[in-house]
Amino acid sequence: MLLADTRVRWEQLKEGRQTYFLTGTDEHGLKIQGVAEKQNIPPKELVDNVSQNFKHLAQRMKIEYSRFIRTTDADHVEAVGHFWNIMMDKGLIYKGKHSGWYCVSDEAFYPESQTEEITKDGKTIRISKETGNEVFYQEEENYFFRLSAYQEDLIRYIEETPDFIQPEPRRKQILEELREGQLQDLSVSRHTSRLQWGIEVPNDPNQKVYVWFDALLNYLTAAGYPKADTTALENIWPAHHVIGKDIMRFHCIYWPIFLMAAGIQLPKTIFVHSHWLCDGKKMSKSIGNVVDPYAMADHYGVDPLRFFLMEQSNINTDSNFSESGFFHHRAMLLNKFANLTSRVCAPNFEISRGLQQAEAGEFDKIDELLRKDNVTNSDKEKVISLRDELVKSIDSLQQTMDDSLASFDHMKALKEWWRVVDSTNEFFQATEPWSYNKHVGDGPSPERTIRNYLLFLATEGIRVTTLCAQPYMPDLTEKILGRLGVDKDKRTLDHAKIGADLTYGDGSNRKYEEKLMHKVKPREGAKD
């Protein structure tokens, strides 16, 4: 959810950009039924609780979705029934006997070639090669979807549309799977003797719709299918999907084929993300390395947690969560980002006056003043060189981040963000604008112009990096932009360049009781 939320927030910072963020829970199937039986509660009560848990987590993490869809929603059940009937009318669903290796955890049948035998706890069991979960041999009469009829069409589409599946290694993985063997027709129902918790197959009360035939259609449900025109310009379809690698086959093979069969446009892109490890290991209750997001947010803050998770989100490989790493990264945000804001907003500076001077063109010949200046012992040519590099990096930040975020590369985007923050700090330290205060009187002077110019550039570095950090740290950036006095309507990416907004700064330079960020100690018992 956080990957999608930050990307949506980024797009919303662009003038005139419309967004729609769909998330939710798929709530049918044998896995849900089995857990409900173990807890001795109705399946609906179980999924009500689960969906509320996800909603609470989203709220705590400041995730703002347009709709939280549940596959038990009435409009979704209607959409599934309609889609099923369309496929039946086209002769793409038929009844037949099915046998194979089924995994309850994955809600999927696997061909024998994708399973293997292993020894576990002294017993020989068969597992899925992909997920490592146990599979069982089953045979029953079900409905089948003619998946195999669209194999070549899907291969051709993926080959001709290189951005359809991202990142590239995932695209290659799907193509390899499609090319190496014939797709088997997909069992899209389960007999009620085995599955009672699911959407009933139209006109057959003895069969329930297979969970993935059901769940994937939620995207169309949100687009108003079957009543709305999904080809209309104002419709949210086609979408960009953000999914985990564990459900890649369902989204990158089954889903496109379902849509091809229905004559509906395919998604624009399917972005497949990796998973989080903790201390280099898969999270597991048995070894006690499951990260509690509530505990992290409560102790360290939601914004630092959001930022860290995105900063460390590796696209191609699993990311590693380390609480000690999180602690140190939070300290960097405090020391390099929040504290610099506090320093430029000190009472003995005048941000507003510097902006007025910039607008009036009083900085046009600043290089001459800098070269003649003897208030500080700094190498003036080095200062000018640092200035040139800083201006270039600030003005290119928004576009550089946008290029990276187009492929959800938050790690790369935030690496560039840090580079600008570091450059701004380096410039502020090297130029020592505070040294000019004792040389500044009430009226105009070269010293005042130089000081205000140096402060102007540092403050612009803060303003621009803050604008670009809004999707990651909504609360902290709100505080900083508020402290700088940036108008609400000038907090878009169009203003993320030096001089794009010269209207802020009134009342910014004063003493503040409230800190932008507070120091925290590591949690008791946190691992180094």
Side-chain angles (χ1 to χ4, degrees):
M1 284 194 291
L2 189 54
L3 272 171
D5 178 71
T6 47
R7 173 66 185 278
V8 166
R9 285 175 180 267
W10 179 265
E11 297 300 322
Q12 289 171 344
L13 291 175
K14 300 175 182 178
E15 292 282 1
R17 185 61 59 94
Q18 298 294 314
T19 62
Y20 189 96
F21 175 18
L22 177 72
T23 189
T25 46
D26 56 274
E27 301 183 349
H28 295 121
L30 279 171
K31 185 160 58 175
I32 295 291
Q33 180 177 296
V35 173
E37 288 173 352
K38 286 182 180 179
Q39 295 185 13
N40 196 29
I41 60 174
K44 185 61 165 65
E45 182 179 338
L46 173 66
V47 296
D48 285 347
N49 294 336
V50 170
S51 66
Q52 280 302 117
N53 289 340
F54 276 102
K55 287 182 178 180
H56 288 153
L57 180 59
Q59 183 180 31
R60 184 72 182 97
M61 292 297 294
K62 304 285 184 177
I63 291 170
E64 298 180 348
Y65 46 78
S66 305
R67 176 179 176 179
F68 189 98
I69 193 169
R70 301 175 57 184
T71 55
T72 52
D73 289 345
D75 60 341
H76 178 70
V77 174
E78 179 186 352
V80 171
H82 182 89
F83 195 90
W84 181 281
N85 287 332
I86 294 292
M87 296 299 102
M88 286 289 288
D89 292 344
K90 289 189 171 190
L92 294 172
I93 291 180
Y94 63 92
K95 207 168 191 180
K97 287 197 172 180
H98 185 266
S99 60
W101 296 96
Y102 187 75
C103 177
V104 174
S105 297
D106 302 338
E107 300 274 18
F109 275 100
Y110 291 100
E112 188 163 342
S113 62
Q114 293 180 11
T115 67
E116 62 182 349
E117 286 189 347
I118 65 166
T119 301
K120 183 178 181 181
D121 299 329
K123 295 192 302 183
T124 300
I125 62 171
R126 186 169 288 271
I127 63 168
S128 159
K129 290 181 180 178
E130 180 181 352
T131 66
N133 294 324
E134 189 170 4
V135 296
F136 303 90
Y137 190 82
Q138 293 180 347
E139 183 174 357
E140 63 185 25
E141 187 177 52
N142 295 326
Y143 287 95
F144 289 80
F145 179 85
R146 298 186 189 278
L147 203 69
S148 56
Y150 292 89
Q151 184 168 358
E152 292 304 317
D153 290 339
L154 182 56
I155 291 174
R156 185 161 48 252
Y157 185 84
I158 295 173
E159 289 175 339
E160 294 174 354
T161 316
D163 292 335
F164 178 56
I165 299 172
Q166 298 182 35
E168 179 63 17
R170 303 299 181 193
R171 175 176 173 270
K172 289 181 178 178
Q173 186 179 343
I174 289 294
L175 276 174
E176 183 179 344
E177 181 176 342
L178 287 168
R179 288 167 177 160
E180 71 179 8
Q182 180 65 36
L183 283 178
Q184 301 298 308
D185 286 350
L186 179 67
S187 173
V188 289
S189 74
R190 302 289 182 264
H191 198 276
T192 53
S193 62
R194 195 157 61 89
L195 174 65
Q196 297 85 47
W197 181 241
I199 297 174
E200 187 175 293
V201 168
N203 305 311
D204 190 342
N206 294 318
Q207 296 278 336
K208 299 290 186 182
V209 176
Y210 169 50
V211 62
W212 277 107
F213 189 91
D214 152 16
L216 288 165
L217 291 168
N218 86 89
Y219 307 115
L220 289 184
T221 301
Y225 179 88
K227 297 174 183 177
D229 180 6
T230 57
T231 65
L233 188 62
E234 67 274 10
N235 197 283
I236 61 172
W237 192 260
H240 297 275
H241 292 332
V242 183
I243 64 161
K245 65 179 183 179
D246 54 326
I247 53 176
M248 181 170 65
R249 178 187 292 109
F250 307 113
H251 281 81
C252 297
I253 297 179
Y254 298 174
W255 180 225
I257 287 179
F258 292 164
L259 292 169
M260 285 179 173
I264 297 174
Q265 189 174 352
L266 271 58
K268 292 179 182 178
T269 57
I270 303 174
F271 178 81
V272 185
H273 65 76
S274 297
H275 291 165
W276 277 96
L277 308 176
C278 182
D279 300 322
K281 299 176 183 177
K282 185 177 179 180
M283 293 189 199
S284 168
K285 289 182 180 179
S286 61
I287 62 175
N289 69 337
V290 176
V291 176
D292 182 349
Y294 290 100
M296 294 295 166
D298 290 344
H299 187 79
Y300 298 107
V302 171
D303 275 6
L305 180 56
R306 285 173 57 99
F307 188 91
F308 179 75
L309 290 175
M310 291 298 92
E311 186 186 10
Q312 301 298 310
S313 60
N314 199 316
I315 294 176
N316 293 311
T317 60
D318 289 340
S319 303
N320 183 51
F321 185 91
S322 161
E323 186 168 348
S324 63
F326 175 31
F327 171 78
H328 290 299
H329 277 254
R330 186 192 183 280
M332 286 171 57
L333 280 174
L334 170 64
N335 295 328
K336 293 186 175 184
F337 184 50
N339 281 357
L340 183 58
T341 303
S342 299
R343 294 179 73 184
V344 301
C345 290
N348 50 358
F349 287 137
E350 46 183 6
I351 292 173
S352 181
R353 176 62 187 143
L355 294 169
Q356 293 169 9
Q357 290 179 275
E359 188 172 25
E362 294 182 30
F363 297 150
D364 291 351
K365 296 182 179 180
I366 194 66
D367 287 6
E368 293 180 21
L369 291 180
L370 286 172
R371 290 188 172 102
K372 294 177 182 178
D373 173 55
N374 57 13
V375 171
T376 68
N377 295 321
S378 60
D379 182 334
K380 298 307 184 289
E381 295 305 322
K382 181 180 179 181
V383 167
I384 291 172
S385 177
L386 280 175
R387 184 273 316 277
D388 291 343
E389 285 298 315
L390 179 61
V391 169
K392 182 180 178 181
S393 64
I394 291 173
D395 281 345
S396 63
L397 178 61
Q398 179 269 328
Q399 187 59 57
T400 304
M401 290 183 68
D402 193 58
D403 292 342
S404 298
L405 292 176
S407 57
F408 287 88
D409 196 342
H410 292 275
M411 180 179 280
K412 186 176 180 180
L414 290 175
K415 183 177 180 180
E416 181 64 21
W417 183 87
W418 270 120
R419 190 174 76 84
V420 178
V421 170
D422 286 339
S423 295
T424 305
N425 273 280
E426 182 184 7
F427 180 80
F428 190 77
Q429 284 297 119
T431 58
E432 304 177 29
W434 58 87
S435 298
Y436 294 82
N437 286 334
K438 59 186 177 182
H439 299 278
V440 172
D442 293 334
S445 66
E447 291 79 13
R448 188 173 199 172
T449 298
I450 291 173
R451 182 199 66 178
N452 288 352
Y453 175 73
L454 300 176
L455 185 72
F456 164 71
L457 283 183
T459 308
E460 281 290 83
I462 294 167
R463 184 183 65 84
V464 171
T465 53
T466 304
L467 291 178
C468 292
Q470 289 177 97
Y472 303 97
M473 300 182 288
D475 288 348
L476 178 59
T477 54
E478 170 73 23
K479 288 181 181 179
I480 292 175
L481 293 173
R483 185 166 291 195
L484 292 177
V486 178
D487 291 342
K488 295 281 187 181
D489 61 352
K490 293 179 179 177
R491 298 183 182 186
T492 64
L493 294 177
D494 287 346
H495 295 90
K497 285 186 181 295
I498 292 177
D501 177 14
L502 298 175
T503 63
Y504 66 96
D506 285 343
S508 295
N509 292 107
R510 57 186 175 85
K511 188 174 181 180
Y512 293 88
E513 297 298 329
E514 182 186 2
K515 292 184 178 180
L516 291 169
M517 284 182 72
H518 293 273
K519 287 185 178 181
V520 296
K521 294 180 179 180
R523 285 191 317 145
E524 188 174 343
K527 296 180 180 179
D528 294 332

